[in-house]
Amino acid sequence: MSREYRFINLAIKIAGLSEHRFPLGAVITRGSIIQSVGVNKYKSHPLQINPNTDLPGDSIHAEFDAVSKMRNLIGNKIYIARVRHDGSTGNARPCRTCRILLINKGIYIVNYTTSQKGFIKEDLRDVSFTRSKFKWG
């Protein structure tokens, strides 16, 4: 099994730790070493909540949770997975804000699950956002 499959499967397992209604997990790696993991979660701490802009149920994204635990991110890769309640995977493509966060932190290679039993590898440095699709057996 390739490194990409191992890490995307780990992100799927990490997503299972999320208590959010749409569970997502993220794994940041450098080479074959896991650097950080994160899950999406509801904002609960008063310093996380902006009463002027946040809506009830707003969340901290899994990508942000994983990135916030690290300092040196340049050259790392991230694997993001969404798990539906029936156990199948869903689209975990990072939102625009998370994509900008990842680019600014130096993480350009993003792997994320799709709803078609596979995942996509995307290079954020490419203006056309080149994607490579991978399928599970």
Side-chain angles (χ1 to χ4, degrees):
M1 180 182 291
S2 75
R3 189 180 298 172
E4 281 88 9
Y5 283 96
R6 284 196 327 261
F7 289 136
I8 204 75
N9 282 321
L10 179 58
I12 290 168
K13 289 178 183 173
I14 297 293
L17 301 175
S18 173
E19 295 178 358
H20 198 278
R21 66 184 174 134
F22 302 111
L24 279 103
V27 177
I28 296 176
T29 65
R30 181 181 302 265
S32 61
I33 299 171
I34 297 166
Q35 301 290 319
S36 181
V37 298
V39 296
N40 62 330
K41 49 185 110 174
Y42 292 109
K43 293 181 180 180
S44 60
H45 192 279
L47 295 177
Q48 298 170 331
I49 299 170
N50 181 341
N52 298 318
T53 59
D54 290 348
L55 299 172
D58 276 359
S59 63
I60 295 171
H61 291 195
E63 303 93 306
F64 181 84
D65 186 39
V67 165
S68 68
K69 298 172 185 172
M70 295 188 61
R71 294 204 175 158
N72 182 13
L73 296 161
I74 296 172
N76 289 337
K77 296 179 182 178
I78 191 165
Y79 299 81
I80 309 159
R82 176 180 174 197
V83 179
R84 296 181 175 151
H85 296 291
D86 66 1
S88 66
T89 59
N91 184 8
R93 186 174 192 222
C95 71
R96 183 177 189 277
T97 302
C98 286
R99 294 165 77 79
I100 291 168
L101 170 72
L102 294 171
I103 290 168
N104 288 339
K105 294 293 186 176
I107 298 177
Y108 304 114
I109 304 300
V110 178
N111 298 273
Y112 56 90
T113 58
T114 68
S115 57
Q116 282 83 37
K117 292 188 177 182
F119 67 96
I120 291 176
K121 180 179 183 177
E122 196 170 316
D123 188 336
L124 299 180
R125 293 171 291 198
D126 186 351
V127 176
S128 65
F129 295 120
T130 301
R131 297 180 191 173
S132 302
K133 294 184 178 183
F134 299 87
K135 293 279 186 183
W136 272 254

PDB file of all heavy atoms in Angstrom, residues 12-48:
ATOM      1  N   ILE A  12      -9.003   9.110   7.671  1.00  0.00           N
ATOM      2  CA  ILE A  12     -10.358   8.563   7.826  1.00  0.00           C
ATOM      3  C   ILE A  12     -10.569   8.112   9.267  1.00  0.00           C
ATOM      4  O   ILE A  12     -11.606   8.398   9.883  1.00  0.00           O
ATOM      5  CB  ILE A  12     -10.599   7.420   6.827  1.00  0.00           C
ATOM      6  CG1 ILE A  12     -10.683   7.976   5.398  1.00  0.00           C
ATOM      7  CG2 ILE A  12     -11.853   6.630   7.177  1.00  0.00           C
ATOM      8  CD1 ILE A  12     -10.640   6.916   4.309  1.00  0.00           C
ATOM      9  N   LYS A  13      -9.582   7.436   9.844  1.00  0.00           N
ATOM     10  CA  LYS A  13      -9.690   6.993  11.236  1.00  0.00           C
ATOM     11  C   LYS A  13      -9.728   8.183  12.193  1.00  0.00           C
ATOM     12  O   LYS A  13     -10.491   8.192  13.168  1.00  0.00           O
ATOM     13  CB  LYS A  13      -8.532   6.062  11.588  1.00  0.00           C
ATOM     14  CG  LYS A  13      -8.639   4.714  10.919  1.00  0.00           C
ATOM     15  CD  LYS A  13      -7.464   3.831  11.248  1.00  0.00           C
ATOM     16  CE  LYS A  13      -7.590   2.517  10.481  1.00  0.00           C
ATOM     17  NZ  LYS A  13      -6.423   1.684  10.612  1.00  0.00           N
ATOM     18  N   ILE A  14      -8.906   9.187  11.928  1.00  0.00           N
ATOM     19  CA  ILE A  14      -8.874  10.390  12.761  1.00  0.00           C
ATOM     20  C   ILE A  14     -10.230  11.097  12.716  1.00  0.00           C
ATOM     21  O   ILE A  14     -10.717  11.608  13.726  1.00  0.00           O
ATOM     22  CB  ILE A  14      -7.748  11.345  12.309  1.00  0.00           C
ATOM     23  CG1 ILE A  14      -6.373  10.701  12.485  1.00  0.00           C
ATOM     24  CG2 ILE A  14      -7.829  12.693  13.023  1.00  0.00           C
ATOM     25  CD1 ILE A  14      -5.944  10.454  13.896  1.00  0.00           C
ATOM     26  N   ALA A  15     -10.870  11.119  11.538  1.00  0.00           N
ATOM     27  CA  ALA A  15     -12.190  11.752  11.407  1.00  0.00           C
ATOM     28  C   ALA A  15     -13.191  11.116  12.362  1.00  0.00           C
ATOM     29  O   ALA A  15     -14.098  11.787  12.856  1.00  0.00           O
ATOM     30  CB  ALA A  15     -12.688  11.653   9.965  1.00  0.00           C
ATOM     31  N   GLY A  16     -13.011   9.836  12.635  1.00  0.00           N
ATOM     32  CA  GLY A  16     -13.897   9.140  13.562  1.00  0.00           C
ATOM     33  C   GLY A  16     -13.834   9.681  14.983  1.00  0.00           C
ATOM     34  O   GLY A  16     -14.723   9.421  15.786  1.00  0.00           O
ATOM     35  N   LEU A  17     -12.821  10.461  15.296  1.00  0.00           N
ATOM     36  CA  LEU A  17     -12.690  11.064  16.626  1.00  0.00           C
ATOM     37  C   LEU A  17     -13.456  12.378  16.741  1.00  0.00           C
ATOM     38  O   LEU A  17     -13.636  12.891  17.842  1.00  0.00           O
ATOM     39  CB  LEU A  17     -11.211  11.309  16.945  1.00  0.00           C
ATOM     40  CG  LEU A  17     -10.311  10.075  16.937  1.00  0.00           C
ATOM     41  CD1 LEU A  17      -8.853  10.484  17.148  1.00  0.00           C
ATOM     42  CD2 LEU A  17     -10.753   9.090  17.994  1.00  0.00           C
ATOM     43  N   SER A  18     -13.891  12.917  15.610  1.00  0.00           N
ATOM     44  CA  SER A  18     -14.610  14.183  15.621  1.00  0.00           C
ATOM     45  C   SER A  18     -16.020  13.988  16.161  1.00  0.00           C
ATOM     46  O   SER A  18     -16.681  12.998  15.861  1.00  0.00           O
ATOM     47  CB  SER A  18     -14.687  14.761  14.202  1.00  0.00           C
ATOM     48  OG  SER A  18     -15.525  15.899  14.176  1.00  0.00           O
ATOM     49  N   GLU A  19     -16.480  14.953  16.936  1.00  0.00           N
ATOM     50  CA  GLU A  19     -17.848  14.923  17.453  1.00  0.00           C
ATOM     51  C   GLU A  19     -18.775  15.804  16.624  1.00  0.00           C
ATOM     52  O   GLU A  19     -19.935  15.987  16.956  1.00  0.00           O
ATOM     53  CB  GLU A  19     -17.854  15.356  18.916  1.00  0.00           C
ATOM     54  CG  GLU A  19     -17.112  14.385  19.803  1.00  0.00           C
ATOM     55  CD  GLU A  19     -17.069  14.821  21.256  1.00  0.00           C
ATOM     56  OE1 GLU A  19     -17.585  15.910  21.589  1.00  0.00           O
ATOM     57  OE2 GLU A  19     -16.514  14.065  22.066  1.00  0.00           O
ATOM     58  N   HIS A  20     -18.250  16.346  15.542  1.00  0.00           N
ATOM     59  CA  HIS A  20     -19.019  17.219  14.657  1.00  0.00           C
ATOM     60  C   HIS A  20     -20.014  16.389  13.851  1.00  0.00           C
ATOM     61  O   HIS A  20     -19.799  15.203  13.619  1.00  0.00           O
ATOM     62  CB  HIS A  20     -18.062  17.949  13.714  1.00  0.00           C
ATOM     63  CG  HIS A  20     -18.653  19.153  13.059  1.00  0.00           C
ATOM     64  ND1 HIS A  20     -19.433  19.077  11.945  1.00  0.00           N
ATOM     65  CD2 HIS A  20     -18.569  20.466  13.380  1.00  0.00           C
ATOM     66  CE1 HIS A  20     -19.805  20.290  11.588  1.00  0.00           C
ATOM     67  NE2 HIS A  20     -19.290  21.156  12.440  1.00  0.00           N
ATOM     68  N   ARG A  21     -21.099  16.991  13.410  1.00  0.00           N
ATOM     69  CA  ARG A  21     -22.090  16.232  12.632  1.00  0.00           C
ATOM     70  C   ARG A  21     -21.576  15.857  11.247  1.00  0.00           C
ATOM     71  O   ARG A  21     -22.103  14.952  10.612  1.00  0.00           O
ATOM     72  CB  ARG A  21     -23.412  16.984  12.554  1.00  0.00           C
ATOM     73  CG  ARG A  21     -23.356  18.267  11.795  1.00  0.00           C
ATOM     74  CD  ARG A  21     -24.696  18.984  11.857  1.00  0.00           C
ATOM     75  NE  ARG A  21     -24.561  20.283  11.230  1.00  0.00           N
ATOM     76  CZ  ARG A  21     -25.417  20.769  10.368  1.00  0.00           C
ATOM     77  NH1 ARG A  21     -26.495  20.100  10.060  1.00  0.00           N
ATOM     78  NH2 ARG A  21     -25.213  21.952   9.841  1.00  0.00           N
ATOM     79  N   PHE A  22     -20.534  16.545  10.758  1.00  0.00           N
ATOM     80  CA  PHE A  22     -19.864  16.189   9.511  1.00  0.00           C
ATOM     81  C   PHE A  22     -18.394  15.929   9.846  1.00  0.00           C
ATOM     82  O   PHE A  22     -17.560  16.816   9.732  1.00  0.00           O
ATOM     83  CB  PHE A  22     -19.963  17.312   8.472  1.00  0.00           C
ATOM     84  CG  PHE A  22     -21.373  17.700   8.139  1.00  0.00           C
ATOM     85  CD1 PHE A  22     -21.873  18.928   8.518  1.00  0.00           C
ATOM     86  CD2 PHE A  22     -22.194  16.825   7.447  1.00  0.00           C
ATOM     87  CE1 PHE A  22     -23.172  19.294   8.211  1.00  0.00           C
ATOM     88  CE2 PHE A  22     -23.500  17.181   7.141  1.00  0.00           C
ATOM     89  CZ  PHE A  22     -23.991  18.417   7.519  1.00  0.00           C
ATOM     90  N   PRO A  23     -18.055  14.715  10.311  1.00  0.00           N
ATOM     91  CA  PRO A  23     -16.703  14.454  10.808  1.00  0.00           C
ATOM     92  C   PRO A  23     -15.623  14.540   9.724  1.00  0.00           C
ATOM     93  O   PRO A  23     -15.747  13.932   8.674  1.00  0.00           O
ATOM     94  CB  PRO A  23     -16.778  13.029  11.352  1.00  0.00           C
ATOM     95  CG  PRO A  23     -18.208  12.633  11.345  1.00  0.00           C
ATOM     96  CD  PRO A  23     -18.920  13.552  10.421  1.00  0.00           C
ATOM     97  N   LEU A  24     -14.590  15.326  10.021  1.00  0.00           N
ATOM     98  CA  LEU A  24     -13.414  15.427   9.163  1.00  0.00           C
ATOM     99  C   LEU A  24     -12.167  15.227  10.008  1.00  0.00           C
ATOM    100  O   LEU A  24     -12.117  15.650  11.169  1.00  0.00           O
ATOM    101  CB  LEU A  24     -13.338  16.799   8.482  1.00  0.00           C
ATOM    102  CG  LEU A  24     -14.214  16.935   7.248  1.00  0.00           C
ATOM    103  CD1 LEU A  24     -15.445  17.736   7.568  1.00  0.00           C
ATOM    104  CD2 LEU A  24     -13.443  17.548   6.130  1.00  0.00           C
ATOM    105  N   GLY A  25     -11.171  14.602   9.390  1.00  0.00           N
ATOM    106  CA  GLY A  25      -9.879  14.416  10.032  1.00  0.00           C
ATOM    107  C   GLY A  25      -8.782  14.884   9.099  1.00  0.00           C
ATOM    108  O   GLY A  25      -8.933  14.817   7.880  1.00  0.00           O
ATOM    109  N   ALA A  26      -7.689  15.364   9.664  1.00  0.00           N
ATOM    110  CA  ALA A  26      -6.549  15.835   8.873  1.00  0.00           C
ATOM    111  C   ALA A  26      -5.262  15.273   9.457  1.00  0.00           C
ATOM    112  O   ALA A  26      -5.114  15.165  10.675  1.00  0.00           O
ATOM    113  CB  ALA A  26      -6.507  17.350   8.862  1.00  0.00           C
ATOM    114  N   VAL A  27      -4.335  14.916   8.565  1.00  0.00           N
ATOM    115  CA  VAL A  27      -3.025  14.411   8.955  1.00  0.00           C
ATOM    116  C   VAL A  27      -1.985  15.202   8.168  1.00  0.00           C
ATOM    117  O   VAL A  27      -2.057  15.270   6.942  1.00  0.00           O
ATOM    118  CB  VAL A  27      -2.885  12.905   8.639  1.00  0.00           C
ATOM    119  CG1 VAL A  27      -1.489  12.409   8.970  1.00  0.00           C
ATOM    120  CG2 VAL A  27      -3.934  12.095   9.384  1.00  0.00           C
ATOM    121  N   ILE A  28      -1.032  15.800   8.870  1.00  0.00           N
ATOM    122  CA  ILE A  28       0.067  16.512   8.221  1.00  0.00           C
ATOM    123  C   ILE A  28       1.307  15.639   8.324  1.00  0.00           C
ATOM    124  O   ILE A  28       1.624  15.126   9.404  1.00  0.00           O
ATOM    125  CB  ILE A  28       0.312  17.886   8.878  1.00  0.00           C
ATOM    126  CG1 ILE A  28      -0.916  18.783   8.687  1.00  0.00           C
ATOM    127  CG2 ILE A  28       1.558  18.553   8.289  1.00  0.00           C
ATOM    128  CD1 ILE A  28      -0.822  20.122   9.380  1.00  0.00           C
ATOM    129  N   THR A  29       1.999  15.483   7.196  1.00  0.00           N
ATOM    130  CA  THR A  29       3.179  14.622   7.160  1.00  0.00           C
ATOM    131  C   THR A  29       4.363  15.344   6.519  1.00  0.00           C
ATOM    132  O   THR A  29       4.196  16.269   5.742  1.00  0.00           O
ATOM    133  CB  THR A  29       2.917  13.343   6.343  1.00  0.00           C
ATOM    134  OG1 THR A  29       2.695  13.694   4.982  1.00  0.00           O
ATOM    135  CG2 THR A  29       1.734  12.574   6.882  1.00  0.00           C
ATOM    136  N   ARG A  30       5.541  14.864   6.871  1.00  0.00           N
ATOM    137  CA  ARG A  30       6.778  15.227   6.186  1.00  0.00           C
ATOM    138  C   ARG A  30       7.458  13.907   5.868  1.00  0.00           C
ATOM    139  O   ARG A  30       7.852  13.183   6.773  1.00  0.00           O
ATOM    140  CB  ARG A  30       7.678  16.100   7.052  1.00  0.00           C
ATOM    141  CG  ARG A  30       8.976  16.495   6.328  1.00  0.00           C
ATOM    142  CD  ARG A  30       9.877  17.350   7.194  1.00  0.00           C
ATOM    143  NE  ARG A  30       9.212  18.561   7.644  1.00  0.00           N
ATOM    144  CZ  ARG A  30       9.309  19.743   7.037  1.00  0.00           C
ATOM    145  NH1 ARG A  30      10.045  19.880   5.968  1.00  0.00           N
ATOM    146  NH2 ARG A  30       8.680  20.793   7.519  1.00  0.00           N
ATOM    147  N   GLY A  31       7.507  13.590   4.579  1.00  0.00           N
ATOM    148  CA  GLY A  31       8.020  12.280   4.183  1.00  0.00           C
ATOM    149  C   GLY A  31       7.097  11.204   4.726  1.00  0.00           C
ATOM    150  O   GLY A  31       5.895  11.239   4.520  1.00  0.00           O
ATOM    151  N   SER A  32       7.654  10.267   5.465  1.00  0.00           N
ATOM    152  CA  SER A  32       6.840   9.186   6.022  1.00  0.00           C
ATOM    153  C   SER A  32       6.512   9.408   7.502  1.00  0.00           C
ATOM    154  O   SER A  32       5.999   8.512   8.155  1.00  0.00           O
ATOM    155  CB  SER A  32       7.560   7.850   5.849  1.00  0.00           C
ATOM    156  OG  SER A  32       8.788   7.879   6.550  1.00  0.00           O
ATOM    157  N   ILE A  33       6.795  10.615   8.002  1.00  0.00           N
ATOM    158  CA  ILE A  33       6.600  10.902   9.425  1.00  0.00           C
ATOM    159  C   ILE A  33       5.371  11.784   9.621  1.00  0.00           C
ATOM    160  O   ILE A  33       5.223  12.820   8.979  1.00  0.00           O
ATOM    161  CB  ILE A  33       7.847  11.580  10.018  1.00  0.00           C
ATOM    162  CG1 ILE A  33       9.043  10.639   9.892  1.00  0.00           C
ATOM    163  CG2 ILE A  33       7.621  11.973  11.466  1.00  0.00           C
ATOM    164  CD1 ILE A  33      10.368  11.267  10.237  1.00  0.00           C
ATOM    165  N   ILE A  34       4.517  11.371  10.552  1.00  0.00           N
ATOM    166  CA  ILE A  34       3.334  12.156  10.897  1.00  0.00           C
ATOM    167  C   ILE A  34       3.779  13.318  11.780  1.00  0.00           C
ATOM    168  O   ILE A  34       4.431  13.125  12.806  1.00  0.00           O
ATOM    169  CB  ILE A  34       2.293  11.286  11.620  1.00  0.00           C
ATOM    170  CG1 ILE A  34       1.811  10.174  10.696  1.00  0.00           C
ATOM    171  CG2 ILE A  34       1.130  12.136  12.122  1.00  0.00           C
ATOM    172  CD1 ILE A  34       1.053   9.082  11.393  1.00  0.00           C
ATOM    173  N   GLN A  35       3.413  14.532  11.370  1.00  0.00           N
ATOM    174  CA  GLN A  35       3.785  15.732  12.105  1.00  0.00           C
ATOM    175  C   GLN A  35       2.665  16.227  13.029  1.00  0.00           C
ATOM    176  O   GLN A  35       2.925  16.742  14.098  1.00  0.00           O
ATOM    177  CB  GLN A  35       4.154  16.848  11.128  1.00  0.00           C
ATOM    178  CG  GLN A  35       5.305  16.513  10.210  1.00  0.00           C
ATOM    179  CD  GLN A  35       6.620  16.446  10.952  1.00  0.00           C
ATOM    180  OE1 GLN A  35       6.900  17.264  11.814  1.00  0.00           O
ATOM    181  NE2 GLN A  35       7.436  15.460  10.629  1.00  0.00           N
ATOM    182  N   SER A  36       1.412  16.088  12.561  1.00  0.00           N
ATOM    183  CA  SER A  36       0.285  16.605  13.331  1.00  0.00           C
ATOM    184  C   SER A  36      -1.000  15.977  12.816  1.00  0.00           C
ATOM    185  O   SER A  36      -1.069  15.527  11.666  1.00  0.00           O
ATOM    186  CB  SER A  36       0.212  18.134  13.184  1.00  0.00           C
ATOM    187  OG  SER A  36      -0.856  18.667  13.941  1.00  0.00           O
ATOM    188  N   VAL A  37      -2.008  15.944  13.669  1.00  0.00           N
ATOM    189  CA  VAL A  37      -3.344  15.500  13.272  1.00  0.00           C
ATOM    190  C   VAL A  37      -4.363  16.495  13.828  1.00  0.00           C
ATOM    191  O   VAL A  37      -4.085  17.217  14.780  1.00  0.00           O
ATOM    192  CB  VAL A  37      -3.680  14.071  13.768  1.00  0.00           C
ATOM    193  CG1 VAL A  37      -2.727  13.048  13.175  1.00  0.00           C
ATOM    194  CG2 VAL A  37      -3.675  13.997  15.277  1.00  0.00           C
ATOM    195  N   GLY A  38      -5.532  16.525  13.201  1.00  0.00           N
ATOM    196  CA  GLY A  38      -6.577  17.418  13.679  1.00  0.00           C
ATOM    197  C   GLY A  38      -7.941  16.928  13.261  1.00  0.00           C
ATOM    198  O   GLY A  38      -8.067  16.139  12.320  1.00  0.00           O
ATOM    199  N   VAL A  39      -8.954  17.375  13.972  1.00  0.00           N
ATOM    200  CA  VAL A  39     -10.348  17.061  13.626  1.00  0.00           C
ATOM    201  C   VAL A  39     -11.138  18.364  13.645  1.00  0.00           C
ATOM    202  O   VAL A  39     -10.749  19.334  14.300  1.00  0.00           O
ATOM    203  CB  VAL A  39     -10.993  16.052  14.607  1.00  0.00           C
ATOM    204  CG1 VAL A  39     -10.300  14.714  14.558  1.00  0.00           C
ATOM    205  CG2 VAL A  39     -11.024  16.596  16.021  1.00  0.00           C
ATOM    206  N   ASN A  40     -12.247  18.359  12.910  1.00  0.00           N
ATOM    207  CA  ASN A  40     -13.114  19.527  13.018  1.00  0.00           C
ATOM    208  C   ASN A  40     -13.900  19.423  14.318  1.00  0.00           C
ATOM    209  O   ASN A  40     -14.199  18.339  14.791  1.00  0.00           O
ATOM    210  CB  ASN A  40     -14.018  19.676  11.792  1.00  0.00           C
ATOM    211  CG  ASN A  40     -14.963  18.522  11.595  1.00  0.00           C
ATOM    212  OD1 ASN A  40     -14.676  17.374  11.963  1.00  0.00           O
ATOM    213  ND2 ASN A  40     -16.101  18.798  11.007  1.00  0.00           N
ATOM    214  N   LYS A  41     -14.193  20.573  14.889  1.00  0.00           N
ATOM    215  CA  LYS A  41     -14.901  20.595  16.164  1.00  0.00           C
ATOM    216  C   LYS A  41     -15.689  21.877  16.277  1.00  0.00           C
ATOM    217  O   LYS A  41     -15.377  22.871  15.628  1.00  0.00           O
ATOM    218  CB  LYS A  41     -13.933  20.433  17.328  1.00  0.00           C
ATOM    219  CG  LYS A  41     -12.725  21.325  17.289  1.00  0.00           C
ATOM    220  CD  LYS A  41     -11.751  21.025  18.406  1.00  0.00           C
ATOM    221  CE  LYS A  41     -10.502  20.386  17.870  1.00  0.00           C
ATOM    222  NZ  LYS A  41      -9.471  20.179  18.830  1.00  0.00           N
ATOM    223  N   TYR A  42     -16.710  21.817  17.099  1.00  0.00           N
ATOM    224  CA  TYR A  42     -17.508  23.008  17.340  1.00  0.00           C
ATOM    225  C   TYR A  42     -16.712  23.999  18.164  1.00  0.00           C
ATOM    226  O   TYR A  42     -15.939  23.605  19.038  1.00  0.00           O
ATOM    227  CB  TYR A  42     -18.807  22.649  18.068  1.00  0.00           C
ATOM    228  CG  TYR A  42     -19.758  21.847  17.233  1.00  0.00           C
ATOM    229  CD1 TYR A  42     -19.982  20.501  17.499  1.00  0.00           C
ATOM    230  CD2 TYR A  42     -20.420  22.425  16.157  1.00  0.00           C
ATOM    231  CE1 TYR A  42     -20.854  19.754  16.723  1.00  0.00           C
ATOM    232  CE2 TYR A  42     -21.291  21.687  15.369  1.00  0.00           C
ATOM    233  CZ  TYR A  42     -21.508  20.359  15.663  1.00  0.00           C
ATOM    234  OH  TYR A  42     -22.355  19.619  14.889  1.00  0.00           O
ATOM    235  N   LYS A  43     -16.916  25.269  17.881  1.00  0.00           N
ATOM    236  CA  LYS A  43     -16.272  26.304  18.692  1.00  0.00           C
ATOM    237  C   LYS A  43     -16.931  26.293  20.064  1.00  0.00           C
ATOM    238  O   LYS A  43     -18.146  26.341  20.171  1.00  0.00           O
ATOM    239  CB  LYS A  43     -16.445  27.674  18.038  1.00  0.00           C
ATOM    240  CG  LYS A  43     -15.701  27.819  16.736  1.00  0.00           C
ATOM    241  CD  LYS A  43     -15.903  29.205  16.152  1.00  0.00           C
ATOM    242  CE  LYS A  43     -15.168  29.348  14.842  1.00  0.00           C
ATOM    243  NZ  LYS A  43     -15.358  30.690  14.269  1.00  0.00           N
ATOM    244  N   SER A  44     -16.111  26.219  21.093  1.00  0.00           N
ATOM    245  CA  SER A  44     -16.682  26.167  22.431  1.00  0.00           C
ATOM    246  C   SER A  44     -16.010  27.133  23.394  1.00  0.00           C
ATOM    247  O   SER A  44     -16.596  27.518  24.390  1.00  0.00           O
ATOM    248  CB  SER A  44     -16.598  24.743  22.987  1.00  0.00           C
ATOM    249  OG  SER A  44     -15.242  24.344  23.044  1.00  0.00           O
ATOM    250  N   HIS A  45     -14.786  27.502  23.117  1.00  0.00           N
ATOM    251  CA  HIS A  45     -14.058  28.403  24.005  1.00  0.00           C
ATOM    252  C   HIS A  45     -14.432  29.849  23.676  1.00  0.00           C
ATOM    253  O   HIS A  45     -14.533  30.217  22.508  1.00  0.00           O
ATOM    254  CB  HIS A  45     -12.553  28.190  23.846  1.00  0.00           C
ATOM    255  CG  HIS A  45     -11.755  28.854  24.912  1.00  0.00           C
ATOM    256  ND1 HIS A  45     -11.448  30.195  24.882  1.00  0.00           N
ATOM    257  CD2 HIS A  45     -11.208  28.357  26.046  1.00  0.00           C
ATOM    258  CE1 HIS A  45     -10.748  30.511  25.951  1.00  0.00           C
ATOM    259  NE2 HIS A  45     -10.580  29.415  26.667  1.00  0.00           N
ATOM    260  N   PRO A  46     -14.644  30.691  24.670  1.00  0.00           N
ATOM    261  CA  PRO A  46     -15.044  32.078  24.413  1.00  0.00           C
ATOM    262  C   PRO A  46     -14.088  32.836  23.488  1.00  0.00           C
ATOM    263  O   PRO A  46     -14.504  33.706  22.743  1.00  0.00           O
ATOM    264  CB  PRO A  46     -15.060  32.717  25.806  1.00  0.00           C
ATOM    265  CG  PRO A  46     -15.231  31.582  26.739  1.00  0.00           C
ATOM    266  CD  PRO A  46     -14.590  30.388  26.095  1.00  0.00           C
ATOM    267  N   LEU A  47     -12.786  32.508  23.506  1.00  0.00           N
ATOM    268  CA  LEU A  47     -11.838  33.194  22.633  1.00  0.00           C
ATOM    269  C   LEU A  47     -11.962  32.751  21.175  1.00  0.00           C
ATOM    270  O   LEU A  47     -11.442  33.410  20.283  1.00  0.00           O
ATOM    271  CB  LEU A  47     -10.405  32.972  23.131  1.00  0.00           C
ATOM    272  CG  LEU A  47     -10.082  33.585  24.492  1.00  0.00           C
ATOM    273  CD1 LEU A  47      -8.669  33.226  24.910  1.00  0.00           C
ATOM    274  CD2 LEU A  47     -10.279  35.092  24.468  1.00  0.00           C
ATOM    275  N   GLN A  48     -12.647  31.632  20.926  1.00  0.00           N
ATOM    276  CA  GLN A  48     -12.833  31.144  19.562  1.00  0.00           C
ATOM    277  C   GLN A  48     -14.072  31.732  18.907  1.00  0.00           C
ATOM    278  O   GLN A  48     -14.219  31.656  17.706  1.00  0.00           O
ATOM    279  CB  GLN A  48     -12.976  29.620  19.552  1.00  0.00           C
ATOM    280  CG  GLN A  48     -11.785  28.871  20.061  1.00  0.00           C
ATOM    281  CD  GLN A  48     -12.112  27.398  20.241  1.00  0.00           C
ATOM    282  OE1 GLN A  48     -13.245  27.024  20.501  1.00  0.00           O
ATOM    283  NE2 GLN A  48     -11.093  26.574  20.091  1.00  0.00           N
TER     284      GLN A  48
END
